[in-house]
Every structure is written in C-alpha cells, then in structure tokens.
Amino acid sequence: PLPFAEREAANVKSIFGGVYLSGAQATRDAFRSQAKAADMIYFAAHGLAGLEQGIDDSFIALADANLTARDVQRVSEFGFDTRLVVMSACQTGLGRIDEFGVIGLARTFLDAGVQNTVMTLWNVDDASTAILMDAFNRNLSAHQPADALAMAQRALKSRPEYAAPFYWAG
C-alpha cells in the first residue's frame, strides 16, 4: 500500500481533471485504452527498474499486472501524442545501459514520441514524494516540467525535515 501515492493521484485529478484510474481500476487494459489519447499520463505507484534487459523487467505495478516497457512499446506502435508522462514511482529512470543509453521505461516513452518524462533514479519515500509532486503539479500550470520540478525540489529541500537529497533529488 502507498497511502501518500493515492493522495498524490487524487491531487493530480483535482488540479488537471481527466480520467482517474485508482485501485482495481488501474489495470493494463485501462492503460491501453486511455494512454494514446492522453495529453498527460501520470503514475503514482510502485516501480522497479530491470538492469539486465530493461525492456521486459522494468515496470510500474498496476492492479492486475506490471506495466513493462515492452507493454508501452506495444501500445505506442503508432506513437504517442502525449505532452508529459510522470512516473512518480521508484527507479523509473533506470534500466539496462548499452551503447544507445539507458533502456527502460523512461526511454520507451520518449522513443514513442512523448515530449517530456519525469522519473526517479532511486527508491523514493512515499510521504515526501507526495509533497514534492504536489508542488510540482501546482507549478506545472505556469512552468515547463523541468522548471516546475526544480522549483518543487528547492521548496522541499528548504524544509529541515526533508533537506537530505533522499527526499527531493530522486
């Protein structure tokens, strides 16, 4: 269970609207049916990077199955017209390193035509991530994703209890 991720997802819904899939509704089929038409795709869930294959062992945990990078490839056969994918989950920016770069979830979305991805490089704390991402999402309406994230990171870092990079730099 990720109680703060649930709250984070609800905040995203209240700020941006759109289709909200939570709990048992957040399935691989639901992703497949909604993703291609989405301006923004936002995951607040468990994630894991596969360092051996990257494509089949990097995933975001959904209610019924893991959404792997290969699943994303299959959905994106004709490309995504998506402005932003946010993967507020552990290790979503990691994967297998080869001569072409890092092969994993983030790369798969970018290769499919997504304009921007927000991802993590290590395991992240559920509570501090929800605070960070709430600030990011509020900043996003007036700023580009990289600037919105940097502003949110600085705000969280300024709080003594979250000053350590573990809480804001993932």
Side-chain angles (χ1 to χ4, degrees):
L2 295 171
F4 291 98
E6 184 73 27
R7 188 171 13 187
E8 177 186 342
N11 285 340
V12 171
K13 169 69 172 164
S14 71
I15 294 169
F16 300 108
V19 175
Y20 174 69
L21 303 170
S22 175
Q25 299 172 324
T27 65
R28 208 162 32 179
D29 284 343
F31 170 78
R32 288 180 185 132
S33 69
Q34 299 291 327
K36 296 216 28 146
D39 178 58
M40 177 170 74
I41 300 169
Y42 196 106
F43 298 99
H46 286 291
L48 185 67
L51 303 179
E52 288 188 30
Q53 298 171 346
I55 200 80
D56 291 312
D57 56 356
S58 293
F59 64 85
I60 293 175
L62 298 178
D64 63 338
N66 293 331
L67 180 74
T68 67
R70 184 159 321 273
D71 293 323
V72 172
Q73 279 183 328
R74 288 181 185 127
V75 170
S76 68
E77 185 175 330
F78 301 106
F80 278 98
D81 190 24
T82 303
R83 176 182 57 87
L84 175 63
V85 170
V86 176
M87 293 174 282
S88 182
C90 296
Q91 303 180 13
T92 53
L94 298 179
R96 181 177 56 84
I97 298 173
D98 71 10
E99 62 192 278
F100 303 107
V102 178
I103 307 301
L105 282 165
R107 171 71 175 270
T108 302
F109 278 110
L110 291 172
D111 286 349
V114 171
Q115 296 171 28
N116 299 282
T117 61
V118 174
M119 62 214 158
T120 62
L121 295 175
W122 55 70
N123 291 339
V124 293
D125 176 69
D126 186 36
S128 63
T129 298
I131 296 167
L132 174 74
M133 298 310 288
D134 183 52
F136 165 75
N137 289 313
R138 284 185 279 108
N139 295 336
L140 197 55
S141 62
H143 301 280
Q144 293 296 315
D147 295 330
L149 181 59
M151 292 167 66
Q153 288 174 308
R154 285 192 297 273
L156 193 62
K157 181 181 177 183
S158 72
R159 296 173 60 170
E161 68 271 32
Y162 296 120
F166 169 78
Y167 295 109
W168 55 266

Coordinates of all heavy atoms in Angstrom, one line a residue, residues 40 50 71 121 141:
M40 N -1.5 14.0 -20.8 CA -0.6 13.7 -19.7 C -0.9 12.3 -19.2 O -2.1 12.0 -19.0 CB -0.7 14.8 -18.6 CG 0.2 14.4 -17.4 SD 0.4 15.7 -16.2 CE -1.2 15.7 -15.4
G50 N 14.6 -2.8 -14.3 CA 15.3 -4.0 -14.6 C 16.7 -3.6 -15.2 O 16.7 -2.9 -16.2
D71 N 5.3 -3.4 -22.8 CA 3.9 -3.1 -22.9 C 3.7 -1.7 -23.5 O 2.8 -1.5 -24.3 CB 3.2 -3.2 -21.5 CG 3.1 -4.6 -21.0 OD1 2.9 -5.5 -21.8 OD2 3.3 -4.7 -19.8
L121 N 15.4 8.1 -10.0 CA 16.6 7.4 -10.2 C 16.9 6.4 -9.1 O 17.9 5.6 -9.2 CB 17.8 8.3 -10.4 CG 17.7 9.2 -11.7 CD1 18.9 10.2 -11.7 CD2 17.7 8.3 -12.9
S141 N 1.3 24.3 -14.1 CA 0.4 25.1 -14.9 C 1.1 26.4 -15.5 O 0.7 26.9 -16.5 CB -0.8 25.5 -14.1 OG -0.4 26.3 -13.0

